[in-house]
Amino acid sequence: VSFTILECKEFFMLRPKIITGNWKMYKTIEQTADFIKAIAPLVADNPFEIFLAVPFTAIQTAAQAAEGTKLVIGAQNMNDATEGAFTGEIAANMLKDAGAEFVLLGHSERRRYFHEDDALINLKIKRALSIDLRPVLCVGETLAEREDDKTQEAVKRQITQGLADLSARELKNLILAYEPVWAIGSGLYATPEEAEEMHQFCRQVLSELFDPDFASTIPIQYGGSVNALNAKVLMEQADVDGLLVGGASLSLESFSHIIHNSESTPDEGIL
Ligand code: PEP
């Protein structure tokens, strides 16, 4: 069997497909253990990587329950400092210590309710990378920015400033999540065409900031009111490499339906 150089290049540029649940401020330790025990066998043969961003208090239990399964456990936020007198904050090494392998950074709820700006998110990304904690940079325009025709400007700024002073080598494990703010928790979602257009735009920004080879390897997830009905068509878009699911990841039934529907043929979709 022989392969052309182009075929080899395409093979090595295959991006992993990752479906992530973001539990926000929901679920106790016991609920976490029960959920993971129940979902692990349901997704065992699934082709996607399945990530769960759980509350701080449940990370250790989640990581233990996920051992030997295909589930990967992570956190939803962290402080940018190594350690210090920052009452109520959690450091990156504490997340790793508890068993987290990735961390969501710059989620729109952090930007909106906790006033996180791009400079702070950049510091957090640097800190996570410094201890091999995989960062998921969340970006997305607000409704006002979309209505003002500033969607691309806002997303470009978030990517450029969030990844400032970092090299492609340092960022090789980065995951990007495009989450239009107007779609989060609202029941509204980007059409597959809108999502694909913005994912292509994000990849173009990465390509300009770094290089096209790097840009082609970075998984870009879509987030914003993903459910069992829209998951498949979103996942079919060429530059949509996964989903970041909030509300619908809290129920075993809806999260497993999203995961199964994402891989099924149209006739097999579980509705
Ligand atoms: C999220 O929390 O990142 C999210 C996309 O939420 P939802 O799926 O509920 O819109």
Side-chain angles (χ1 to χ4, degrees), residues 144-203:
E145 285 164 336
R146 178 159 280 253
E147 286 174 349
D148 273 3
D149 219 3
K150 296 212 163 103
T151 298
Q152 294 196 346
E153 190 185 307
V155 168
K156 185 173 184 173
R157 187 200 68 237
Q158 290 170 340
I159 297 176
T160 306
Q161 295 185 10
L163 303 181
D165 314 315
L166 286 160
S167 66
R169 235 181 100 200
E170 288 168 303
L171 287 166
K172 65 180 190 307
N173 287 326
L174 174 75
I175 297 169
L176 199 63
Y178 168 64
E179 301 202 289
V181 179
W182 49 269
I184 296 181
S186 64
L188 302 171
Y189 52 90
T191 64
E193 295 75 26
E194 282 169 339
E196 175 61 14
E197 187 190 331
M198 283 309 295
H199 282 231
Q200 279 181 13
F201 176 74
C202 291
R203 214 176 293 289

Side-chain angles (χ1 to χ4, degrees), residues 22 24 104 107 109 179 183-187 223-226 244-248:
N22 170 22
K24 312 191 187 213
L104 304 183
H107 190 280
E109 287 153 15
E179 301 202 289
I184 296 181
S186 64
S225 295
V226 171
L244 181 45
V245 186

Side-chain angles (χ1 to χ4, degrees), residues 56 76-81 89-90 92 103-107 110-111 114-131 133-137 162 166:
F56 292 138
Q76 303 167 17
N77 179 38
M78 53 171 245
N79 190 275
D80 60 297
E89 290 296 285
I90 305 279
V103 59
L104 304 183
L105 294 173
H107 190 280
R110 299 296 317 170
R111 294 178 191 260
F114 303 96
H115 313 295
E116 294 195 8
D117 61 15
D118 293 312
L120 176 62
I121 293 158
N122 177 245
L123 291 176
K124 292 186 180 197
I125 291 199
K126 287 175 180 160
R127 176 63 193 141
L129 290 171
S130 75
I131 64 161
L133 187 61
R134 192 168 185 184
V136 181
L137 172 61
L166 286 160

Side-chain angles (χ1 to χ4, degrees), residues 52-87:
L52 275 180
V54 306
F56 292 138
T57 47
I59 293 174
Q60 189 171 13
T61 297
Q64 282 165 358
E67 247 172 61
T69 76
K70 66 176 307 171
L71 295 164
V72 177
I73 303 304
Q76 303 167 17
N77 179 38
M78 53 171 245
N79 190 275
D80 60 297
T82 310
E83 60 182 358
F86 301 111
T87 302

Side-chain angles (χ1 to χ4, degrees), residues 41-60:
L42 300 180
V43 298
D45 299 325
N46 194 270
F48 308 120
E49 295 182 32
I50 313 292
F51 286 19
L52 275 180
V54 306
F56 292 138
T57 47
I59 293 174
Q60 189 171 13

